[in-house]
Amino acid sequence: MKIRAYLLIMVGAIILPISLFAAVALQTLLRSEREAALQALEETVSATALLVDRELSSAEAALRVLAHSPHLAHGDMQAFYRHARSADRGKTGRTILFDPNGQQLINTVIPLGDPLPPPPDYVRVRTQRVIETQQTVVSGLITGAVQRVPVTTINIPVPLEGGRRYVLASVFGTEYFTELISQRATPASWSLAVIDRNGRFIARTREPGRIGQMGKPELLRAAQGKTRGIIRARTLAGVDAYFAFTRSPMSGWLVAVSVPAAEIEGAAQRAVKLAAAGMLVALLCAALAAVFFARRLVASIRGAANAATMLG
């Protein structure tokens, strides 16, 4: 076998293992980039859930201050009504005082003294639950009994001297949480949403017309019994996407973000392509250098052989 063939085999023996290890490294890089992008989704949805819980906690704290109002303790409903209006959340928010049967006694959206509708069954059940457990209860998306618009509520017990029992509620319009989660600085292609325990949209940063509709079935199934997770499925618009979700321990609501899969995969593939291009250039340079020096070596050996022949 000629020397050139031996040199080519040597070059191949060096480059082949490097190429194999490079392929493995690129696959690892692709996986790492994808995981990093998905981790960004998880961080976004966790931060959004904290933002929602912070608003609910703030509303609860305001209600507890209101519950200790001396006007309510003394039965001065006129003065308490003025005090309650200061606790309203947002432009469409309102504060409601319920009796133990769920009947509204005060609703800050209408003047004090105006007739208030009888309580629906779900209001009576929720009011009795708050009074019996003496714990805060956050509702899902419901239809307000006065304005007949979709709202959510946070309800706290108000035990007073003499065995009197009330429930105070802070009411949020759907635009309140939509505006809240829209404060998150996310790319235009990302969609944030808040979903109640029954699977209905409370807030959305995109397509707000879907508020009140059911969320993605695959997402709702994946979130059953879990506090967080990531799935890949098609959006309601039919786009292949990644969904990251987390469940609020305070309200039980689901906070989710969806991102087109092409965006996640594209970011990872761009990083891999850049690394692959750099590695390919390095291998080509190494191969060219090997060929160049192989030719120089062959030429030198031939020269030495010719010189030895002439000397003989």
Side-chain angles (χ1 to χ4, degrees), residues 32-210:
S32 298
E33 289 293 327
R34 184 186 294 113
E35 290 176 354
L38 294 177
Q39 185 177 0
L41 295 188
E42 290 185 316
E43 292 172 354
T44 296
V45 79
S46 295
T48 305
L50 288 175
L51 191 64
V52 172
D53 282 355
R54 186 189 67 185
E55 288 300 312
L56 291 173
S57 297
S58 175
E60 181 184 19
L63 288 175
R64 293 200 179 279
V65 171
L66 189 61
H68 290 88
S69 170
H71 304 306
L72 181 61
H74 296 151
D76 186 352
M77 292 301 179
Q78 186 69 43
F80 180 74
Y81 176 83
R82 293 194 298 269
H83 190 185
R85 294 192 67 179
S86 66
D88 291 348
R89 315 290 292 189
K91 297 179 180 179
T92 60
R94 50 196 178 275
T95 304
I96 301 176
L97 178 68
F98 295 98
D99 71 8
N101 296 318
Q103 176 61 50
Q104 297 185 34
L105 302 176
I106 286 178
N107 188 324
T108 57
V109 78
I110 61 175
L112 182 66
D114 284 8
L116 291 164
D121 290 339
Y122 67 84
V123 173
R124 283 195 291 268
V125 171
R126 187 182 65 227
T127 302
Q128 292 171 2
R129 177 185 169 194
V130 173
I131 291 176
E132 290 173 0
T133 63
Q134 289 295 292
Q135 293 181 349
T136 299
V137 173
V138 180
S139 78
L141 190 67
I142 58 176
T143 300
V146 174
Q147 293 183 308
R148 309 303 299 173
V149 295
V151 296
T152 54
T153 66
I154 179 170
N155 308 263
I156 69 163
V158 185
L160 297 176
E161 293 182 358
R164 289 179 296 165
R165 296 289 184 268
Y166 297 109
V167 169
L168 264 174
S170 187
V171 182
F172 303 87
T174 55
E175 71 282 352
Y176 186 87
F177 286 109
T178 295
E179 292 174 1
L180 179 69
I181 64 176
S182 296
Q183 296 174 9
R184 294 286 305 163
T186 57
S189 59
W190 294 27
S191 178
L192 282 164
V194 181
I195 303 171
D196 70 7
R197 293 182 296 274
N198 296 320
R200 297 189 179 278
F201 286 115
I202 294 174
R204 287 176 61 92
T205 55
R206 300 180 67 186
E207 299 180 285
R210 293 185 183 272

